[in-house]
Amino acid sequence: MLQFELHVLTGPRSGESIPLDQKRFSIGTNAADDFQVVDETASPKHAILTSTDKSYLVCDLYSSSGVFVNGARVESAELKIDDVFNIGKTSFLFRKSTARRLKIGEASEGLSAAISFVYQQFVKAKGKTKIVWGAVLALLLGLMIWVFGGASLVKLIPFIKTGQTNQAIQATSEAGYQDGFDRGSQKGNLYIQMLQLDPANAHRHLTWVADPWNGNPPILKGDYPMSPWNVKPPVLPVGYTTNFIRGYRQGLLNQIQPYEEYLSKQ
């Protein structure tokens, strides 16, 4: 049976990883909940996770602010690996357990590093030396497939080329998500201010907010300066850009959705 955990991305307990080793796991502000959320926007017994054959089902227990999975409000949803769901201001990443990943990672780390090293030598070599390194590389790749299966090769490709290890890529991915989330939250807040100041040009403001890499907003100028991210995504570390965009979208939604719900009730 697969083992899963929740990794807390945002909120007072950000950085924690909680193993899901029980059939039912409750989340809310109640001290009796399995995970207590310290958040005025959350509810006691806010949501519950229930084990299924291959995953967990997250269900909203008629909370006041709802449950959002990848930005969409749900009553219930079966979680997939790397799904992000929100309860109040706390974001959770659903993933395979760290213990399981480390067990596999420790077994493959040395082989992965060897493949990465041999690949670098193969690229640099010329003539007969290149043939020798190519043979060694083929042997190691065959061993990787035999021991860990063909899917392992797909996951190995990014750090064969960069020399990054599994753990480095994981850390980079989490950093990318957090940076993106912070950026998205900041721009979402500015976007709301722009709508309030200049609602007639909502489309122009939306164009600005859709680009995570740009700088100052169209109308707030020097009062609310935002530096552009003068970094081209291709030069960023493996795993960073994709997770930065995911985090950015989630940060935007966390700011904009409550504002839109507030407007709809006016």
Side-chain angles (χ1 to χ4, degrees):
M1 180 180 175
L2 290 176
Q3 296 175 320
F4 304 99
E5 69 180 15
L6 298 179
H7 182 67
V8 186
L9 296 170
T10 63
R13 296 174 62 176
S14 63
E16 288 189 37
S17 294
I18 303 95
L20 294 174
D21 52 6
Q22 55 203 72
K23 290 189 175 295
R24 293 167 65 85
F25 186 89
S26 61
I27 302 175
T29 60
N30 196 317
D33 287 319
D34 294 310
F35 185 95
Q36 186 178 17
V37 179
V38 183
D39 182 354
E40 69 279 3
T41 65
S43 304
K45 296 294 181 184
H46 191 113
I48 191 162
L49 275 68
T50 306
S51 175
T52 65
D53 290 339
K54 297 181 180 179
S55 181
Y56 271 79
L57 188 72
V58 60
C59 298
D60 185 357
L61 299 179
Y62 305 102
S63 64
S64 57
S65 57
V67 174
F68 293 83
V69 177
N70 297 327
R73 187 165 184 169
V74 300
E75 292 183 1
S76 65
E78 187 169 42
L79 296 171
K80 302 180 183 65
I81 297 298
D82 291 335
D83 274 352
V84 175
F85 68 94
N86 288 69
I87 290 178
K89 297 177 181 178
T90 301
S91 299
F92 300 89
L93 174 67
F94 179 75
R95 66 185 186 183
K96 292 180 183 178
S97 71
T98 305
R100 182 180 178 85
R101 291 200 317 277
L102 288 178
K103 185 176 180 180
I104 296 173
E106 288 170 359
S108 64
E109 195 71 39
L111 186 54
S112 300
I115 291 174
S116 179
F117 172 78
V118 171
Y119 175 81
Q120 302 300 327
Q121 300 307 310
F122 171 75
V123 171
K124 297 175 185 176
K126 295 180 181 180
K128 292 182 179 180
T129 306
K130 194 176 189 73
I131 296 174
V132 173
W133 282 116
V136 175
L137 179 62
L139 179 64
L140 291 176
L141 289 174
L143 181 61
M144 173 68 85
I145 294 171
W146 182 66
V147 175
F148 298 105
S152 64
L153 190 58
V154 176
K155 296 179 181 178
L156 183 68
I157 289 172
F159 59 87
I160 286 179
K161 295 180 178 179
T162 63
Q164 285 184 276
T165 63
N166 281 314
Q167 293 178 351
I169 291 175
Q170 178 67 29
T172 299
S173 298
E174 291 178 2
Y177 185 94
Q178 187 62 58
D179 289 347
F181 186 92
D182 293 342
R183 180 77 166 182
S185 298
Q186 184 184 12
K187 291 191 77 170
N189 183 47
L190 293 181
Y191 175 63
I192 291 171
Q193 295 180 49
M194 290 156 64
L195 288 180
Q196 294 169 341
L197 288 172
D198 187 20
N201 286 305
H203 177 74
R204 186 161 65 100
H205 306 326
L206 190 60
T207 301
W208 171 78
V209 82
D211 182 359
W213 310 102
N214 60 16
N216 287 346
I219 65 169
L220 299 182
K221 303 297 181 183
D223 294 335
Y224 297 91
M226 172 174 278
S227 300
W229 282 39
N230 295 320
V231 180
K232 296 180 180 179
V235 305
L236 294 172
V238 173
Y240 185 95
T241 304
T242 301
N243 285 280
F244 178 92
I245 298 299
R246 289 178 64 236
Y248 180 78
R249 290 172 179 168
Q250 191 64 54
L252 277 180
L253 288 171
N254 277 17
Q255 294 294 324
I256 294 172
Q257 280 184 334
Y259 178 70
E260 291 178 341
E261 290 180 4
Y262 166 76
L263 290 180
S264 68
K265 295 176 182 178
Q266 300 305 304

